[in-house]
Amino acid sequence: MAKIAINIATGSLQQNEVIVGIDLGTTNSLVAIIHPESKKLIAIKEHDSSSLVPSVIYFGNSNEVVVGEKAKEYLISNPAQTIFSAKRLMGKTYNDIRDGIKNFSYQIIDEDDKLVKVKVNNNFYSATELSSLILKELKKSAEHILKTPVNKAVITVPAYFNDAQRQATRDAGKLAGLDVLRIINEPTAASLAYGFGLSNEEEKIIAVYDLGGGTFDISILKIHNGIFEVLSTNGDTFLGGDDIDNGIVQYWLSKFKETANISQQQLRVLAEKAKKILSDTDNFMVEINGIILALSLPELETIIKPILNKTLECSKKALKDADLTIHQIDEIIMVGGSTRSPVIKKEVTDFFGKKVNDKVNPDEVVALGAAIQADILAGNTKDVLLLDITPLSLGLETAGGLMDVLLPRNTKIPARASRQYTTQKDGQSGIVISLYQGERDLVKDNRKLDEFILKGIPNMPAGFAKVDIAFLINADGILKVSAKELRSGVAQEILVKPQQNLSDEDVEKMLQDSIKNAKEDITIRALVEATTEAEQLLNTTEGFIQKNIHYLSQQELLSTSEALQALQLSLSMGDKNLIQLKMEELNAISKPYAERVMDLAVNSAMSGKKI
Ligand code: ADP
Ligand code: MG
């Protein structure tokens, strides 16, 4: 059933339902849209307030749920009932987070290999449920501000999120009543907000430096023809603005003895305030309980330095993994609230030897990018043709060296396709699965990606095995190919990166070649298909004759042998029509006795049955 959106304020039908972009962050979350009327790209907020909603959930004594700024207060007064950093738990088991457990002030249930559950007031919550509460709050406030229902969203996740974490995010959206149209990578979203990848500009390599509240992520992306490829990611899941705040508190405690009388929590709040103020001024001073706390910019820079150095170490590793030198980076974009500190911008600029790009609000940039992606999905941004798609077809080699395409070119990713194959020979125990990319009909003209062997298929006649081969390409463009023989359960899989070492020119050349050779390719494919079919027919007919020679007349044997020879001859002549004709002739000869022998077999099976 189609949904029709009604503008609550005006009562009019809305032509396009809004699709929002959501940054579901560890510390802060927010919603952005391209406004349906003004067409402006904006983060959603109430007048005079911040667009950021702290990712904090407080469960009151009678289980009332408070999310956002108001919940943040309870981090201090009631930590056991106040959940923060739920994102860290997404798609994780207790074993996964065991080492970092001291970072959580609320109760996490210890069940080794089960998905994490949080216990508050004798109720249990999964990470998905917790995230859904934040999403619900975002949806509610967006609806309130926009005065229109919000049912569809694009949600961002870190580039390193695995399938389980992405699925957990999707599920959280669903629980919150949101149809999650797409999960996109945070660095991809940030690049979109900076306008990269929106036109068919030349290839660009972008470093996305994202320093948030509790996490640091550096991602190196290659963008070409609107395709975002994550070349590498690195980071530290426990490094961010919180560490700077802690550093300030430690510094104050050591410098001003009187601070011991102020609660740690109060000090942390003041420390964050000091840090933020020092992003715009040189000095911070405040009086609390008659005590004066001060922090100068140079002092703050000394506190930030070790944290900054760690981020640069991660950046080095990311460059190395992407096989790039610093000079190959075209743009460095700043993401995350903590990049507002001038010292961070300066040092990152020095590290890359290039001025960092900080034009877009670093708190909002990810959500803004998600909103652009949402607008593209809504079909409003017509000039973007290619985005997150497969530039070339992906497939595998079948009999006769033919290309069998599972994911055609321009398939939107993530995507999945599967098909069943079988064995060609009796007792065949393995199948070689060769993966190719390209538009030509013969694999020899395409680009070979990789190959693997599905081994251990039990002994069965040709054509009996059922081999299911699935192609799954994820949001990062990584292709997982899995093969499973369904009767025996033997399985095997492989991961490949189809876009690796593939330049725009390569893609273009492959497309041009396929157009140039289309006619010949079709002819060759038809011939190869006919040949494969004929070879199989030769095999089965010869096998049948050997087994049932006693049931056939002399005349039948003679005419069959002649027809087999004629088919053999047509194969050597490479004439598709002739091969088909000879197959038909052979079939016409063998059909009567094949039916007769079958009947005999059935009758003997029946008479052998004891009742
Ligand atoms: P996340 O992606 O983890 O949800 P954000 O990108 O919202 O986090 O960043 C939050 C962090 O940014 C907090 O540590 C906050 O103190 C810090 N921050 C926000 N504004 C400033 C500022 N003006 N100067 C320095 N740090 C800031
Ligand atoms: Mg973030």
Side-chain angles (χ1 to χ4, degrees), residues 23 25-26 28 87 186 210 212 215 335-336 366:
D23 173 5
T26 310
N28 295 305
K87 187 175 177 177
E186 287 162 12
D210 181 350
T215 56
V335 177
V366 169

Side-chain angles (χ1 to χ4, degrees), residues 24 86-92 115 127-128 131 161 164-165 168-170 172:
L24 184 60
K87 187 175 177 177
R88 293 188 191 279
L89 309 175
M90 293 294 267
K92 294 276 173 84
L115 282 180
T128 302
S131 288
F161 255 30
Q165 292 168 299
T169 308
R170 249 177 218 288

Side-chain angles (χ1 to χ4, degrees), residues 12 56 106 162 192 236 294 304 311 341 349 418 424 472 506 513:
S12 66
V56 182
Y106 43 88
N162 63 25
L192 273 174
D236 188 329
I304 291 181
T311 68
S341 286
T349 296
S418 67
Q424 272 181 298
L472 177 78
D506 294 338
D513 283 352

